[in-house]
Amino acid sequence: MSRIARHQKLGMAVLAALAVTATGAVVAPVGAVAVPASAAAETGTAAVAPFGQGDDLVSLGRTGALGWDAEDPNLARWTRFADGTTTAFPRGHFVFGSRDSDLVIDQSGDVVTVKDMEAGKDVHQVDVASAGPGAAFAGAVRSHVFVSTRNAAGTGDDLHVYAPGETGAAPSKRTVTGLPADATRVFAVGAAGDDVLVSYGTGGHTTRWAILDLATATVTASRDMGGAGDRNASPVLSATHVAWARFVGGDTVVNVLERATGKVQLITLAGTGDITLGLVGKWVTYARTGGLLDTSADPQNAVTARDLYGPATRRLLDHAVSGIDAPGDATGVLGGTVTGGEGVYRIAPGADGAPVATQVAATGAPTKVTLLGHNVPALLDLDRTGGRFTLNWRLSRTNVDLVVKLRNNRTGETVTENALPPVDPYDPHVLSFAWQGELWWNDRPDMTTAASNGPYTWEITGTPRNGIGPVLRASGAFTVTRRSGAHDFDTDGSPDVFARDTTGRLWMHDTYKVNWADQLNQNPRQLVGGGWQIYDRIEAAGNLGGSPVNDLVARDRSGVLWLYKGTGDPKAPLADRTRIGGGWGGYDRLAAGSDFTGDGRPDLLATDRAGVLWLYPATGNANAPFSGRKRVGGGWGVYNDLTAVGNMAGAAAGDLVARDRSGVLWLYLGRGDGTIAPRIRVGAGWQGFGHVVGLGDADRDGRPDLYAAASGTYAHASLYKGTGDWKRPLRSPVVVAGYVTLPDVTFDLYV
């Protein structure tokens, strides 16, 4: 299968099954989008006939075209321009177009049948083997069939021409005269009237062309095209000129011979590569083939016509796949334009004599880079996909620099990346962005944060690397959803840490579990607001009143407890406060956000100055978030820090950790009925931390973790991951990356 065939045929197929990315995330198939048939390139000729995408153009007649199937090289089809009907030839037959006509050569074994596709009948047959030793089909012009045989001297080939005989009679045979004795690989490549253009090699290792007169079967002119080591384009013939190309050094030199005078005009094109030529009136056309899939721009990719007697040039097509001789003063090109799309184009003189390209058959594929489909879902549940998702866009071709931009419409945060081809040989049209479920924090490319809930926009910008066609721009919308866990105030599924400085300003620090590393990042502080020095206790309290995110409680110095409901907006994470009630001044410690009763609601614990621990069960009603207190037990005066941590150790409900005044940390397992089990020693040395926070599930393993921050200038924070095992509830600490206490700020509280 040809490169063009693979590119076009495979690209239009829909993925048959779900793909799995290298990261393990399930990726939905890229949906197909129908691409309409291209319009005619020139007004006045409707391109009604289809031509198979990726098929090779073998022959172009006045009423139809012959193509070889892209996926089945043994299948040839003739397509009628008038109604788009096709005639398929038997598989395994060698099918070739007869130049300058609507005739097709159908060879089965040694028998060549000349078929008139316009009339729908056979013209005559030639038994190739009967021509002589080493006989081989050597092309056809209209109803004339050429056969080469080994010459008597054994130095080269003879060329014979077969013409239809009288009705019922065998075809007549003549041997061409004027070819050199060492001519080999002789083949008819074009025609103009009764003149036939043949190409051949010689024993001197040169390639040549010759013009022979059909009436006399005699060579009338010939020319050397270059040595066997040169790469030469097939020569083309018109009534007035012969053109061929040589690749000399790093350039392409187009040679155009004026038949009447023998003068040769040279046209130098920068660069080398396969090239197609044509002659239309007093113009020569040329283009480098295969440019549609190139990864760099080349002005020679366009099909260009040049006036042989003046300076004028015309751009006819944006690219060419291949070229072919066409009947009359015309040439044919399989290629495309940005406006007309891909198809078969006939290039012939227009009203002013200059060449005009007219589309006579369409493949339905676009020339410009076109979005064919994508797999971006309307609703993307990042919890279900493991926090990441590979976004795919299927394009008509992928030799583009595709830039992907995702935007959280609620926060304004974005991420921009270059898309890359996935490792998928079955669909080479897909470009992918393996999104790790992150955005640029505060739109700073050097910092990332987890993508939060809400509406999103995706935008793609595809710049063709070969310069063919405009920049592709497309966009769409989707919604991200993910669970908001403990300590998550911006709905990104990752915990946030509040800290108050000694001036009374409250700051929020966004944390983010890096998907590709065992690491918790902490982004710089964001100011929540000032005036928080009026509170002597501040606690993250979980979802107390049915809001989509966590809430905060704060006790002022007169003993009144206040509720700050979470908003989910990282720029304004807390709503205005509402009064819970007075009488809370008798407690020296508060611990909130953990479910001790087993009802799924976050409760609040408090120790009074006598060392008694009290439980305030949550109600789920923001107007009265806690019911009456229940005594848990005494003896809690030995602790200087109390932290509700959630179900860290695998018991029935939320747990509690407490640090005594000697720096030993103790674990109390919740039983789920409002009581707690006897304490379990976790370890010593915790006096080095000024603050211990029950952070929730920071590493996304389903178990809550502990965050410990040392106070002071340039102090550090550590993450202790929960194990789910009460015998060893915490793993060894890992440093929280990006954490820093600025020199001008001293925090006196962490929440």
Side-chain angles (χ1 to χ4, degrees), residues 101 167 224 241 283 302-303 322 417 445 467 469 496 629 719 749:
S101 70
T167 304
D224 182 7
H241 293 83
W283 298 69
V303 179
S322 63
E417 293 288 346
D496 304 297
R629 70 178 187 175
L719 179 70
L749 179 143

Side-chain angles (χ1 to χ4, degrees), residues 135-148:
F137 172 71
V141 173
R142 295 190 291 278
S143 60
H144 296 79
V145 176
F146 292 87
V147 177
S148 65

Side-chain angles (χ1 to χ4, degrees), residues 20-27 385-391 433-436 515-516:
V20 179
T21 69
T23 60
V26 177
V27 180
T385 63
R388 65 194 73 182
F389 189 78
T390 296
L391 305 168
F433 170 35
W435 189 36
Q436 298 298 316
N515 273 333
W516 59 88

